[in-house]
Amino acid sequence: MKKSIFAILLILIGNYSVKSQEIEQILIGTKHSIESTRLNEDREYWVNLPDSYHLAESAHKTYPILILLDGHLHFRSITGIVNYMSADAYGSRTIPEMIVVGIRSRDRERDYTPDKIVTVRANNTGGGNRFLGFLEEELIPELDRTYRTAPYRILFGHSLGGLLATHAFMKEKTLFNAFIAVDPSFGTWDAGTMDKKLDSMTEQSFSRYIYLATANWGKRNLRNRDRHVRFYESLNNKSPSDLRAKWEYFEREDHNSVPITAFHNGISTLFEGYGLSFREVHNLAQLTEHFQAISEKLSYTFPPPESLVNQLGYSLLRSNDPDDLTKALEFFILNVTNYPNSPNSYDSLGEAFEAVGEKQKAIKNYKKSLDLNPKNEHAMTRIEKLTGID
């Protein structure tokens, strides 16, 4: 009897111990719904915000948007890739931080095909433009109202989603700036249809960037690959200047396995050079020219990352060479110019002015930092020190 009671007590204690443990979930994103008048239905979408989004020191930041078609399939994996590639915390910043939005597909043939496909049986294809209208007239404005977005938007699509992404790239007007089209289903575009679409393109389309990926289809590989190559070469021939595009073939990936690898390569290609190391920067002019080239390629201004410039400034600020102190000041001034709402940029500039003996300018910048972030204890301390207030 005593043994039975003892055994029961052990079970109860064990259960209590398990129940008393705090289990903290690791969450990726949030689910939302929007009522679409364009589609006459509610549509679900998932949102993942960058690591820095809710930090007080990042309240001034705005973020590009990456929209994923077939979001329920690609959201988790691509969110992980974006977070790793963009966050300073991992030491792997090669792309900007961005807001990732996955659209859950409901009827892919209806929403992702830009043209009506004639088949023996009735079908509901050809709703691509209406779906793009939903994205551009309803979803993107909703995202802009809700989050701190930047007006740079990337559209990712695979298979039929890649077809729609390519179609959006070719349109004269779109809110999207860049496209990653992974193994797009060009099977519905015969040579005549493709040529007609290519001939209708304007210079505006060629100001955007498109990355095109092709998978290995085995026995049907040549036909699929030839369509993509033909499209890419036609773009290259018609582009009024250097084509802002890249085509890549994945010999070891099939249609279903290619999205993850292709996305990584595509987003890396799009922002090639963005992950410049501070060790590769020799002077302010070189840094400025480097990011001007990236901005020219993407038709959107991407200034040098604030954290990179800060790192460059502080590496020079530690020097005893007066010339290095002057150079440090130039870098911190650049950050204030590019990020005028960042309390940290003014705080760092205050330190630089202190280092070169410009006391009043240092106080001015500390006060500006404090205006933007009243909780900045470092700025408070430096102002008290420089003004002689105890």
Side-chain angles (χ1 to χ4, degrees):
M1 184 68 176
K2 288 183 179 179
K3 289 183 178 180
S4 298
I5 293 173
F6 183 71
I8 292 171
L9 284 172
L10 285 177
I11 292 171
L12 289 174
I13 292 170
N15 285 342
Y16 177 79
S17 176
V18 171
K19 289 179 180 179
S20 66
Q21 292 179 6
E22 291 186 6
I23 299 175
E24 184 178 354
Q25 292 185 330
I26 299 174
L27 303 176
I28 300 178
T30 53
K31 287 186 178 182
H32 307 265
S33 180
I34 183 173
E35 183 180 352
S36 170
T37 56
R38 290 282 295 184
L39 302 176
N40 194 31
E41 62 189 17
D42 290 345
R43 295 306 298 258
E44 182 179 300
Y45 63 97
W46 303 352
V47 177
N48 180 76
L49 300 175
D51 289 351
S52 70
Y53 190 90
H54 293 295
L55 299 178
E57 59 267 28
S58 301
H60 64 286
K61 287 186 178 181
T62 59
Y63 302 87
I65 300 175
L66 168 64
I67 291 184
L68 311 175
L69 302 179
D70 293 317
H72 62 295
L73 298 176
H74 305 298
F75 183 78
R76 293 177 181 85
S77 55
I78 288 181
T79 289
I81 294 172
V82 169
N83 284 353
Y84 183 81
M85 294 178 70
S86 64
D88 286 320
Y90 307 116
S92 58
R93 175 188 44 77
T94 53
I95 64 175
E97 287 186 292
M98 57 187 70
I99 298 171
V100 181
V101 181
I103 311 297
R104 188 177 183 90
S105 59
R106 178 171 290 186
D107 188 333
R108 301 178 77 253
E109 289 189 355
R110 179 195 69 184
D111 292 339
Y112 297 167
T113 51
D115 308 294
K116 186 68 177 178
I117 302 172
V118 179
T119 57
V120 175
R121 295 182 179 179
N123 65 69
N124 63 345
T125 57
N129 283 321
R130 187 173 63 169
F131 187 78
L132 286 174
F134 155 68
L135 295 180
E136 298 185 354
E137 298 167 22
E138 297 178 322
L139 181 61
I140 289 176
E142 175 69 14
L143 296 171
D144 291 341
R145 285 189 295 268
T146 308
Y147 304 103
R148 300 196 310 273
T149 60
Y152 192 85
R153 306 166 186 108
I154 305 167
L155 182 62
F156 167 90
H158 167 238
S159 192
L160 282 178
L163 174 68
L164 186 66
T166 305
H167 172 72
F169 160 76
M170 299 175 75
K171 294 183 67 174
E172 182 176 11
K173 294 181 180 180
T174 178
L175 292 183
F176 292 99
N177 308 80
F179 306 83
I180 299 177
V182 178
D183 217 25
S185 300
F186 283 175
T188 60
W189 289 1
D190 58 25
T193 301
M194 184 179 290
D195 288 342
K196 185 177 179 180
K197 290 179 177 293
L198 288 162
D199 289 340
S200 67
M201 291 179 66
T202 65
E203 288 191 22
Q204 186 66 25
S205 301
F206 290 102
S207 68
R208 306 165 193 141
Y209 195 97
I210 185 169
Y211 172 87
L212 184 70
T214 301
N216 187 339
W217 280 47
K219 293 181 179 180
R220 295 182 293 164
N221 191 38
L222 289 180
R223 191 171 184 181
N224 179 61
R225 185 176 176 179
D226 285 350
R227 289 191 184 108
H228 294 168
V229 170
R230 186 179 188 278
F231 176 76
Y232 178 76
E233 290 181 346
S234 297
L235 285 181
N236 205 22
N237 291 333
K238 292 180 178 296
S239 179
S241 56
D242 290 342
L243 181 64
R244 297 171 182 180
K246 181 177 180 178
W247 171 75
E248 192 167 7
Y249 171 63
F250 293 85
E251 175 72 32
R252 297 185 179 182
E253 305 291 345
D254 62 26
H255 184 68
N256 293 321
S257 68
V258 74
I260 302 303
T261 306
F263 173 78
H264 176 271
N265 287 20
I267 203 74
S268 299
T269 299
L270 190 63
F271 290 105
E272 185 175 2
Y274 188 86
L276 183 71
S277 167
F278 80 98
R279 294 183 179 86
E280 300 175 88
V281 179
H282 306 298
N283 52 60
L284 184 67
Q286 177 215 354
L287 177 72
T288 303
E289 289 173 7
H290 181 86
F291 280 89
Q292 282 177 344
I294 293 174
S295 300
E296 172 65 23
K297 166 188 166 184
L298 300 179
S299 298
Y300 183 81
T301 301
F302 284 96
E306 183 180 356
S307 58
L308 170 62
V309 177
N310 232 34
Q311 191 175 18
L312 289 163
Y314 278 113
S315 66
L316 292 166
L317 206 58
R318 290 190 289 267
S319 171
N320 293 320
D321 187 335
D323 289 340
D324 284 346
L325 295 181
T326 301
K327 292 176 183 177
L329 190 62
E330 292 175 350
F331 280 113
F332 289 125
I333 290 173
L334 177 66
N335 252 357
V336 166
T337 302
N338 289 334
Y339 304 97
N341 296 315
S342 167
N344 186 64
S345 67
Y346 290 97
D347 187 88
S348 298
L349 183 55
E351 288 191 60
F353 276 123
E354 267 200 83
V356 297
E358 295 277 1
K359 177 180 174 180
Q360 293 305 316
K361 290 183 178 179
I363 293 172
K364 179 182 177 181
N365 281 279
Y366 284 135
K367 286 183 176 179
K368 179 62 176 178
S369 177
L370 208 54
D371 288 342
L372 293 169
N373 179 16
K375 296 181 179 180
N376 185 347
E377 294 183 3
H378 179 263
M380 291 181 198
T381 302
R382 297 316 303 160
I383 291 171
E384 290 173 359
K385 179 72 173 178
L386 292 172
T387 57
I389 301 174
D390 295 324

